[in-house]
Amino acid sequence: MLHKEFLSGHYQNTIISFFEEENNSISRADLPSLVGSLSFTGRIFEAEKLFFQNNRDIDLEERSACLFFLGLGHTRKSKYAKARLIFKENQKTLNINSTPLQKFYVYQGIAFYLFFIGKLELALKWNNKSFENAVTSKNLYARSLATDLMGHIKLRLGEINLGIDSLKKAAELSHRLGNKSISEAVEIAELQYRAQYGYSRDAIFQDLLIKFSNITTEDSYSRSVVGLELARQLTLRGQYAHCEETLEKISSGIFSSENRRQEILLNLRFAENYYQLGRESQAWNYLRSARRCLDFEADKSFEMQILGFEAKLFKDVKNTEVIKQLLECTKNFNSVLNQNILKRQALLEVETFNHEDLFHEFLVSLENDSDPVKKIISSSYWSLLYKYIDVPRGKDCLYIDLDRSSVIIFSDKKIEIPSGGLTPLDLKLLINIVNGSSSKEELCKMVWGYEYDSYRHDMMIYTALSSLRKKLASASGWIETTEKGYAFNNEKMFKLKDSLAPVAEKKEISDERKMILNLSSDLNIRQIKTLSHLKKYEAIDVSEYKLIFKVSDITASRDLRALKENGLVISIGKARATKYMLSGSHYEN
């Protein structure tokens, strides 16, 4: 009965069934199931006590199974020395009469431990032996475990597609077995790796959100795995408040499980989130907490992650020392993830580019892209915008993008890009409010070109402002209603092209921004963009204007003539050969 419950992944039921029995005795055949259930639910010391009280009459196959589960339990508790002793003791049980299933438990334990401490090539060697014996034993449970571990090892070695394929096979085997806990844990692992390596970005992110809300596995380790990867994805996407909320939800479970590795990752996730918010001292505190959790023999991968983070934080002489330590670590340990990170930072001279790591490939592609901001926006990895848009981390800032007729909202809670973009009217209204044209009279004149009449124009202004605020989403409150009219909140910042300043600092407005703001009442958005276009390119004609702005011949000709009449451009040539160039006065500006 206990064995059947255990194979189905009902670990709590297995434990309850045993403790509810009147005589509280256990058969030798059920001992591995009970030891495994206690180990997988974090009750490792109870599992160990039960094993030593009842192991006298069990056979070698059952003993090896118990020792395997105990070794896994101690490894998850970060008791590496104890786990190593148990796996070695299990290896000593092998003899000429050992069954394939016993050999599986012994070899799988060794492979698991080697994988856990980062000796991936050796882990694969022992995993191949455990897989062979699992197949020979015709034991579905053993095959599912061996196939699962093979997937993890290959993924860490950079064979991403083969690794994911192995995880899929492991999930199929556990489904056939009827073990929901293993199948869900394997599916969670596949989800984690797909997210980590940048596969099916948007779909995987939604899957993580759903899985975290609906996870049913009795293995507490798996819930934390989902939460930690979800937190990473939330930070990448600029959803800082949601990330912190997610980390808080899994913190107590990680601390109570005593899994030091998950505690390291928890601290690293908090550190990265605070770094993105510009709170470097808090990030440094969490980084130190992560370092205190390290086992310097077993946690080489995490040591490298911490050193890499320190290199990002320190911009002084200490940075050189940190990088030196980081490169020293690569001599003893180097997974494909760490290799790719070092390659991107030009710290490794050897070619380590892995085309199966799609996230790495995406980051590399940004460096050579003519419009990295557009690429980042479409990827949803919005935290990367800080590298390409000069906005202070953690500050409330409205980034106005004239080229795309859109805004990006940066805050200490999240980065937000309202969908649908802004109309030319929205942009003119927003620019004038940001510039300080706040009264109804000013807005009516500057935006619409009318002399203000409250009876005729109040509803027009109210409707336009309501539409603009709706499109600004979480930043709608940054446009405030005042006694005189409307104003942009002085505590917020804005950026228009290369100009960045608090609203109050009007004296530091760039010449380009002055031009755009001062002319915004006379020019439409197409004409404003054309002036910027002509700073990069020598001339423009009606045909090119039509293609860029998708307008008719008449509209294109009218817009360009208006620029000429205002003295902003000059024309060269006649009829269809006419080209328009910036006037000399505008070059000087």
Side-chain angles (χ1 to χ4, degrees):
M1 177 63 182
L2 294 185
H3 186 57
K4 185 177 180 181
E5 289 283 357
F6 173 74
L7 288 180
S8 298
H10 300 145
Y11 305 131
Q12 294 291 356
N13 286 349
T14 305
I15 296 167
I16 292 168
S17 296
F18 168 68
F19 284 109
E20 284 183 350
E21 289 183 5
E22 290 185 8
N23 58 7
N24 208 29
S25 62
I26 185 170
S27 68
R28 46 176 278 187
D30 285 333
L31 182 60
S33 301
L34 188 55
V35 170
S37 295
L38 289 166
S39 297
F40 290 157
T41 52
R43 298 164 66 174
I44 184 62
F45 297 109
E46 290 177 71
E48 198 167 36
K49 184 177 180 181
L50 196 71
F51 171 69
F52 286 117
Q53 288 176 342
N54 296 276
N55 70 355
R56 294 180 185 83
D57 300 323
I58 61 175
D59 62 27
L60 288 176
E61 194 175 277
E62 292 155 353
R63 177 182 294 275
S64 285
C66 288
L67 290 172
F68 170 70
F69 295 134
L70 289 173
L72 261 61
H74 279 293
T75 304
R76 284 188 172 184
K77 290 279 187 182
S78 302
K79 308 293 184 184
Y80 303 123
K82 185 67 177 288
R84 185 167 57 248
L85 286 174
I86 290 173
F87 288 133
K88 281 187 176 180
E89 182 181 340
N90 205 7
Q91 192 174 7
K92 291 176 184 176
T93 65
L94 292 177
N95 58 50
I96 196 170
N97 297 317
S98 293
T99 65
L101 188 57
Q102 185 198 351
K103 291 177 182 177
F104 159 77
Y105 284 121
V106 172
Y107 299 150
Q108 183 75 1
I110 296 170
F112 173 81
Y113 182 76
L114 289 169
F115 165 77
F116 218 80
I117 65 172
K119 295 185 177 181
L120 302 177
E121 298 289 353
L122 273 176
L124 185 59
K125 174 186 172 183
W126 285 96
N127 177 247
N128 286 334
K129 295 177 73 172
S130 72
F131 182 79
E132 289 171 8
N133 282 281
V135 172
T136 304
S137 70
K138 298 181 181 180
N139 186 295
L140 202 57
Y141 180 70
R143 282 178 61 197
S144 67
L145 292 184
T147 308
D148 175 32
L149 183 57
M150 184 177 292
H152 283 277
I153 296 171
K154 287 188 176 295
L155 279 155
R156 295 288 179 86
L157 286 170
E159 298 179 47
I160 297 165
N161 291 310
L162 283 175
I164 288 175
D165 187 54
S166 288
L167 291 182
K168 285 183 179 296
K169 289 176 181 175
E172 290 171 9
L173 290 168
S174 54
H175 273 302
R176 284 170 54 192
L177 186 66
N179 191 314
K180 292 182 179 179
S181 288
I182 292 180
S183 60
E184 188 168 34
V186 175
E187 287 165 3
I188 285 168
E190 183 189 344
L191 195 59
Q192 174 204 1
Y193 284 116
R194 282 184 174 276
Q196 192 175 48
Y197 288 116
Y199 283 68
S200 306
R201 289 189 291 256
D202 293 334
I204 289 295
F205 178 61
Q206 292 304 316
D207 288 344
L208 278 170
L209 287 169
I210 294 167
K211 180 63 74 174
F212 188 68
S213 300
N214 302 303
I215 194 166
T216 58
T217 179
E218 294 180 17
D219 187 346
S220 58
Y221 178 86
S222 294
R223 176 174 172 78
S224 298
V225 169
V226 178
L228 288 166
E229 183 56 36
L230 176 59
R232 175 178 172 270
Q233 294 295 322
L234 287 166
T235 298
L236 264 174
R237 284 162 167 75
Q239 299 184 36
Y240 308 120
H242 192 175
C243 170
E244 190 166 356
E245 178 187 322
T246 301
L247 292 174
E248 292 292 351
K249 284 181 179 179
I250 60 175
S251 292
S252 58
I254 288 175
F255 291 133
S256 63
S257 72
E258 300 178 65
N259 187 300
R260 303 284 276 183
R261 287 202 162 180
Q262 289 194 335
E263 192 175 338
I264 292 170
L265 277 175
L266 180 71
N267 283 300
L268 284 171
R269 297 291 185 263
F270 270 119
E272 181 63 29
N273 208 49
Y274 281 123
Y275 172 78
Q276 293 296 338
L277 289 170
R279 303 178 193 173
E280 294 191 358
S281 59
Q282 287 173 280
W284 173 233
N285 284 334
Y286 276 102
L287 206 58
R288 287 191 297 176
S289 296
R291 180 170 282 280
R292 283 193 289 269
C293 296
L294 282 175
D295 180 300
F296 287 95
E297 180 185 351
D299 295 331
K300 288 297 179 186
S301 175
F302 293 103
E303 183 184 1
M304 290 182 72
Q305 288 182 51
I306 291 169
L307 286 168
F309 205 123
E310 289 177 355
K312 184 164 62 174
L313 276 178
F314 298 124
K315 308 298 181 185
D316 52 16
V317 178
K318 190 170 183 180
N319 180 267
T320 305
E321 180 59 32
V322 169
I323 290 174
K324 183 179 177 181
Q325 292 178 43
L326 184 59
L327 292 175
E328 189 64 29
C329 279
T330 64
K331 296 176 182 178
N332 302 315
F333 176 84
N334 214 359
S335 71
V336 66
L337 275 175
N338 290 318
Q339 286 177 349
N340 287 341
I341 291 169
L342 293 172
K343 178 66 178 177
R344 288 198 300 271
Q345 297 172 351
L347 295 176
L348 281 184
E349 294 182 4
V350 295
E351 180 57 53
T352 58
F353 188 82
N354 187 312
H355 289 280
E356 291 188 64
D357 185 347
L358 300 186
F359 183 62
H360 168 68
E361 194 170 41
F362 171 76
L363 293 177
V364 171
S365 72
L366 292 177
E367 299 301 321
N368 302 313
D369 198 279
S370 60
D371 191 356
V373 171
K374 180 181 179 181
K375 198 165 188 176
I376 291 169
I377 290 173
S378 65
S379 75
S380 298
Y381 294 144
W382 292 348
S383 279
L384 300 176
L385 288 168
Y386 283 117
K387 184 175 180 179
Y388 299 94
I389 296 177
D390 187 19
V391 174
R393 295 180 186 275
K395 300 292 185 182
D396 289 346
C397 181
L398 190 66
Y399 177 77
I400 305 170
D401 189 336
L402 288 172
D403 292 331
R404 295 184 177 86
S405 300
S406 65
V407 294
I408 303 175
I409 302 158
F410 295 88
S411 75
D412 64 349
K413 296 187 184 306
K414 62 181 176 179
I415 298 173
E416 191 173 6
I417 304 177
S419 61
L422 302 182
T423 65
L425 176 61
D426 294 327
L427 282 170
K428 289 180 75 172
L429 186 58
L430 177 59
I431 288 170
N432 277 282
I433 292 174
V434 164
N435 191 39
S437 302
S438 56
S439 69
K440 293 178 184 178
E441 291 84 354
E442 288 175 310
L443 289 176
C444 196
K445 175 65 176 175
M446 299 292 286
V447 177
W448 286 276
Y450 303 145
E451 291 298 328
Y452 175 67
D453 180 288
S454 61
Y455 181 78
R456 295 174 59 197
H457 299 135
D458 274 359
M459 185 54 66
M460 175 183 73
I461 295 172
Y462 297 152
T463 302
L465 274 167
S466 176
S467 174
L468 176 60
R469 280 177 166 148
K470 186 175 181 180
K471 291 174 183 177
L472 290 180
S474 63
S476 60
W478 296 8
I479 296 178
E480 300 174 336
T481 303
T482 67
E483 291 181 359
K484 295 181 179 180
Y486 305 95
F488 191 76
N489 188 321
N490 278 335
E491 295 180 358
K492 312 302 180 184
M493 304 182 81
F494 68 91
K495 178 176 173 64
L496 180 63
K497 291 185 182 290
D498 299 322
S499 171
L500 179 66
V503 173
E505 297 178 14
K506 297 286 174 62
K507 293 180 181 178
E508 297 185 8
I509 295 175
S510 69
D511 289 340
E512 183 182 54
R513 186 168 154 262
K514 281 181 181 177
M515 180 273 292
I516 292 173
L517 295 174
N518 291 337
L519 296 177
S520 61
S521 61
D522 301 319
L523 305 181
N524 60 44
I525 294 301
R526 294 188 302 274
Q527 291 167 317
I528 293 171
K529 290 180 178 179
T530 299
L531 294 178
S532 295
H533 175 85
L534 288 173
K535 283 194 169 186
K536 297 179 183 178
Y537 304 98
E538 186 177 352
I540 191 170
D541 59 22
V542 170
S543 296
E544 189 177 359
Y545 195 96
K546 282 171 53 185
L547 286 173
I548 293 173
F549 298 110
K550 296 179 175 57
V551 294
S552 66
D553 274 322
I554 295 173
T555 300
S557 298
R558 184 175 62 239
D559 283 357
L560 290 168
R561 278 199 309 271
L563 287 173
K564 182 181 177 181
E565 289 167 3
N566 278 299
L568 297 170
V569 301
I570 59 174
S571 63
I572 299 173
K574 294 182 179 181
R576 292 184 179 275
T578 302
K579 291 187 178 294
Y580 296 85
M581 304 172 65
L582 286 176
S583 67
S585 62
H586 192 69
Y587 272 119
E588 291 171 5
N589 288 335

